[in-house]
Amino acid sequence: VGTSVIISSASTVTVGTVESVSIGTHFSPPVGGIEDRGEDFVEGMMRFNTDLNTMEFYNGNEWRQFTYISDVQNSPGSRGRALFAGGDDASGVLSNISSLQFMTLGNAVTFGDLTQARTNAGGCSSEIRAVFAGGEAPSTTNRIDYNAIASGGTGADFGNLASNHRYKAGCSSSTRGLFGAGSTPSATNVIEYVEIMTTGDAVDFGDLLASSINSGSFASPTRGFFVDKQLNVEKECQVVTISSKGNAITYLPQGLPGGDSDGDAGRGCSNSFRGIFVGAGQTKNIDCVDLVSDGIAYDFGDMTEAKYGVGCSASHLRGVLYGGWTPTKVNTIEFVSFASMGNAIDFGDATHAIREVACNVSDCHGGLGGF
């Protein structure tokens, strides 16, 4: 700006503004993890977050991250796909895998098949690969399958869980998938993990604070969350760090907004900042957990009807709620917008009137970062 000044230690000065800046080689923004952000945020601040491995900016209310996402609305084959696997309809237990595109309302379509028909399996995914673990067909199984999200077809063998399990709750980062809770058929507190882009048997990760059969789950880019309203209030939401093994700790000492209730068949999904939990005790209520600010939870809205056994998957913008039980099995698909919150809206129809599908599988969910 053509001005020279002398600045004393620990002081600041403004010497003017310029309309634009031309940089010949590169620009290096401030660099650091989430804990290095400081406290005095100003709208428009930008930095590189080393915990999330992406640029972020402060919008005047919260920090938001940048992640490249191809044009999912104009290119149906690009990112923005959710998968729902197995479950049971009027004909019995299914091997069917269905898919939908988050940005285009409409009916789900057939994607492919699991290697074995089963219900109550757990799911997780990276941007590339979907992983489905455990379930019952009708006896419990330890089988793990995987599918390429970009292409349909029958899945392939990935490996095995440590023991036969159903109701496994899955969540993941872009590299590691976790499967927690479930039953054998008795409730368990075990968390296992797999490296998504390899194959092999699941390995012990740690333990939940209590045994849980019907846990919901979701993830931020760094942490995995397990939610169950059947547990004591301080254990309703628990958290682990995905990159390091270890036991879960309490995330919401005060519990979820709806308080204690029958936790039967609740499910969850998330973008990078908000996780939702639906269907616990066959209610309409959608609970919401802030994944960035520890200990904050609030009421998000309601589903169109009271149901449980709902399949949940998410993009950075939307959470999609698939099928369920009222207790009549339904083929409805609903969606919510993470940014605006509010009640669920009709999305289209599932391929079957179905409950208990493996879910939390998409190529753009909250564990993958960005928005």
Side-chain angles (χ1 to χ4, degrees):
V1 295
T3 303
S4 297
V5 296
I6 297 175
I7 306 172
S8 61
S9 176
S11 66
T12 61
V13 64
T14 299
V15 295
T17 61
V18 294
E19 292 184 1
S20 64
V21 176
S22 178
I23 300 172
T25 55
H26 72 278
F27 166 68
S28 297
V31 175
I34 292 173
E35 299 299 325
D36 302 319
R37 287 171 176 162
E39 297 180 354
D40 298 323
F41 308 143
V42 177
E43 183 176 356
M45 282 183 169
M46 295 182 64
R47 63 195 298 275
F48 184 84
N49 190 314
T50 53
D51 289 334
L52 306 180
N53 200 33
T54 185
M55 288 290 294
E56 63 181 3
F57 70 96
Y58 188 69
N59 65 5
N61 181 52
E62 62 185 353
W63 286 97
R64 304 299 300 270
Q65 283 74 41
F66 292 102
T67 294
Y68 172 75
I69 305 174
S70 54
D71 189 352
V72 298
Q73 188 166 5
N74 298 320
S75 179
S78 59
R79 287 181 64 186
R81 173 176 284 172
L83 303 183
F84 303 91
D88 66 275
D89 69 356
S91 66
V93 177
L94 301 177
S95 64
N96 180 73
I97 303 175
S98 301
S99 71
L100 57 80
Q101 297 292 137
F102 285 105
M103 293 306 294
T104 56
L105 303 184
N107 299 336
V109 298
T110 297
F111 177 88
D113 291 285
L114 297 167
T115 62
Q116 176 190 33
R118 58 193 190 269
T119 187
N120 298 321
C124 69
S125 61
S126 67
E127 298 95 330
I128 299 169
R129 180 178 282 185
V131 180
F132 303 102
E136 51 188 339
S139 58
T140 55
T141 178
N142 66 350
R143 184 180 300 219
I144 307 176
D145 293 357
Y146 74 95
N147 295 76
I149 297 177
S151 60
T154 301
D157 180 62
F158 186 99
N160 298 110
L161 296 169
S163 60
N164 295 342
H165 272 85
R166 61 178 181 171
Y167 292 114
K168 274 294 186 187
C171 60
S172 58
S173 66
S174 59
T175 57
R176 176 176 285 185
L178 307 185
F179 296 101
S183 66
T184 62
S186 57
T188 177
N189 68 341
V190 173
I191 307 171
E192 302 175 55
Y193 78 95
V194 296
E195 299 296 339
I196 296 175
M197 291 311 294
T198 65
T199 57
D201 295 341
V203 179
D204 183 65
F205 182 94
D207 294 326
L208 296 168
L209 292 170
S211 296
S212 171
I213 294 179
N214 291 304
S215 180
S217 54
F218 37 76
S220 74
T222 56
R223 297 191 286 187
F225 299 80
F226 297 91
V227 185
D228 187 346
K229 283 193 173 183
Q230 280 187 318
L231 301 178
N232 295 338
V233 169
E234 71 277 7
K235 300 174 183 176
E236 283 185 351
C237 185
Q238 306 171 43
V239 63
V240 296
T241 300
I242 297 175
S243 62
S244 61
K245 296 184 287 185
N247 296 335
I249 60 173
T250 297
Y251 188 74
L252 297 176
Q254 79 279 17
L256 291 163
D260 286 328
S261 68
D262 183 357
D264 186 42
R267 296 290 181 267
C269 64
S270 66
N271 68 2
S272 298
F273 306 96
R274 288 174 173 162
I276 60 172
F277 181 61
V278 305
Q282 192 181 339
T283 65
K284 287 185 176 183
N285 189 61
I286 304 174
D287 290 314
C288 184
V289 178
D290 190 310
L291 308 186
V292 179
S293 302
D294 289 14
I296 296 177
Y298 36 86
D299 181 65
F300 189 98
D302 291 315
M303 294 188 286
T304 59
E305 58 187 342
K307 54 190 173 183
Y308 57 106
V310 180
C312 294
S313 289
S315 70
H316 302 297
L317 302 177
R318 289 177 173 174
V320 172
L321 315 176
Y322 190 93
W325 206 19
T326 63
T328 301
K329 300 181 185 78
V330 298
N331 71 340
T332 52
I333 308 175
E334 309 172 27
F335 78 95
V336 296
S337 297
F338 285 112
S340 59
M341 301 194 292
N343 295 336
I345 301 170
D346 181 64
F347 185 98
D349 293 329
T351 55
H352 302 72
I354 196 167
R355 63 171 184 171
E356 309 290 11
V357 294
C359 57
N360 226 336
V361 172
S362 78
D363 54 13
C364 50
H365 60 77
L368 307 179
F371 75 97

